[in-house]
Amino acid sequence: MTGDKPSESALRIDGHLWFNRNDKAYLGGKRVELLEQIERTGSISQAAKAVQLSYKGAWDAVEAMNNLSERPLVVREAGGSGGGGTRLTDFGRQMVHTWRRMQAEYERFLAQLAAGAERHEEADNLLRAIAMKTSARNQFRGRVAEIRPGSVNGSVTLDLGGGLALVANITRDSIEALQLAPGTPAIALIKSSFVLLSPDPEVRISTQNRLHGVVLSITPGAINSEVKLQLSEHRTLVAVITNQSVDELGIQVGQPCTALIKASHIIIAVD
């Protein structure tokens, strides 16, 4: 082996940049590409094809970004048809520009990290931490509004903005470990299978969280259906319930519907 030939085992570190700016956005490379294509084409269907996403996958990504942002990145325009009538907001354009600049810095950081890493094991552990994701379909960014500590568990109220709030019951140790306090930015994670639905907003059931919205879409499967609610202008929530429940409850697109979530089924995370 000569000094002119690079080692085949030379360490290479790859990563994916995901970040929030002023707690108002949550972006990654694929989503930025999608936003750029929406800006270029003005069509969610054309943008989805350009980045090799399904139409549904593109809308899921857009709604996830809007849910994690205090201001929408993408809005629909009246009169659009065939998947058109979609555009970036000024805030969305700003976030795309900021992400691109940060991506260049991030790539330089990874190059420096690879050059300075002495052991593959250390680099592997770091990359595992960076790449960690959650399987919870619903993720809502907000700020802690109130904490009511108990002897074992505590109640944490998260203000999502726009008149929306969630109450979570977590252990006292978790409250301390996460350093939660009024004003702390945090994320509520809710599995779609933990969300109950009712057309009756006053239904009697022992859940602390009631989020009122309108059915945006229903995607049936072999056994279960995915029901998406529009909670506010740029926040949506997904529930997975049985096809039988959809029929029995008479849930239809455009119908008012209430999501019911137990406080114990909400996980609180911080950046």
Side-chain angles (χ1 to χ4, degrees):
M1 178 176 175
T2 68
D4 295 330
K5 183 178 179 180
S7 170
E8 292 181 356
S9 62
L11 181 64
R12 174 183 171 87
I13 296 180
D14 291 316
H16 301 281
L17 177 64
W18 289 84
F19 74 95
N20 59 289
R21 182 171 181 267
N22 298 327
D23 300 316
K24 294 178 180 177
Y26 185 75
L27 295 175
K30 192 76 170 182
R31 289 182 175 178
V32 170
E33 292 177 11
L34 176 63
L35 293 178
E36 289 174 332
Q37 290 298 325
I38 290 174
E39 174 72 358
R40 186 181 70 84
T41 65
S43 164
I44 190 72
S45 60
Q46 292 182 38
K49 290 179 182 178
V51 299
Q52 298 182 334
L53 280 177
S54 67
Y55 180 75
K56 180 180 181 300
W59 267 121
D60 285 346
V62 166
E63 288 164 352
M65 286 185 281
N66 280 347
N67 279 340
L68 291 169
S69 173
E70 294 180 10
R71 283 184 279 168
L73 305 180
V74 178
V75 293
R76 305 177 192 236
E77 290 188 315
S81 61
T86 310
R87 67 173 179 83
L88 263 63
T89 63
D90 290 340
F91 181 67
R93 296 187 190 95
Q94 174 191 338
M95 291 310 303
V96 169
H97 175 70
T98 301
W99 191 92
R100 283 298 181 192
R101 291 175 55 195
M102 290 296 293
Q103 173 66 14
E105 294 299 322
Y106 180 62
E107 290 174 354
R108 279 192 282 271
F109 163 75
L110 289 181
Q112 292 172 358
L113 187 64
E118 296 180 355
R119 295 193 305 167
H120 285 66
E121 181 181 354
E122 293 177 354
D124 182 64
N125 289 338
L126 176 60
L127 288 176
R128 286 177 183 273
I130 292 174
M132 184 177 64
K133 298 180 180 180
T134 174
S135 62
R137 182 69 185 276
N138 298 295
Q139 304 180 33
F140 298 103
R141 183 176 296 278
R143 289 184 179 273
V144 175
E146 182 182 13
I147 297 177
R148 294 184 178 181
S151 57
V152 178
N153 294 328
S155 174
V156 178
T157 300
L158 194 65
D159 182 5
L160 306 181
L164 299 175
L166 288 170
V167 177
N169 285 340
I170 62 176
T171 65
R172 189 183 183 110
D173 288 344
S174 294
I175 293 175
E176 294 175 357
L178 295 174
Q179 299 182 334
L180 297 179
T184 302
I187 300 174
L189 307 174
I190 311 165
K191 293 184 68 173
S192 56
S193 58
F194 286 167
V195 180
L196 305 178
L197 297 179
S198 173
D200 180 6
E202 305 299 329
V203 63
R204 299 181 65 182
I205 188 171
S206 60
T207 56
Q208 286 183 266
N209 297 289
R210 293 173 182 247
L211 300 177
H212 306 294
V214 174
V215 178
L216 184 62
S217 66
I218 302 174
T219 306
I223 300 174
N224 299 320
S225 290
E226 176 190 281
V227 181
K228 187 174 296 182
L229 299 187
Q230 187 82 48
L231 301 178
S232 65
E233 180 183 359
H234 66 285
R235 290 195 187 274
T236 58
L237 180 141
V238 174
V240 172
I241 63 176
T242 65
N243 296 334
Q244 182 179 352
S245 295
V246 172
D247 294 336
E248 291 179 351
L249 295 172
I251 295 177
Q252 299 179 5
V253 173
Q255 170 190 7
C257 194
T258 297
L260 308 164
I261 309 161
K262 289 185 176 181
S264 58
H265 284 171
I266 297 177
I267 297 174
I268 298 296
V270 296
D271 292 331

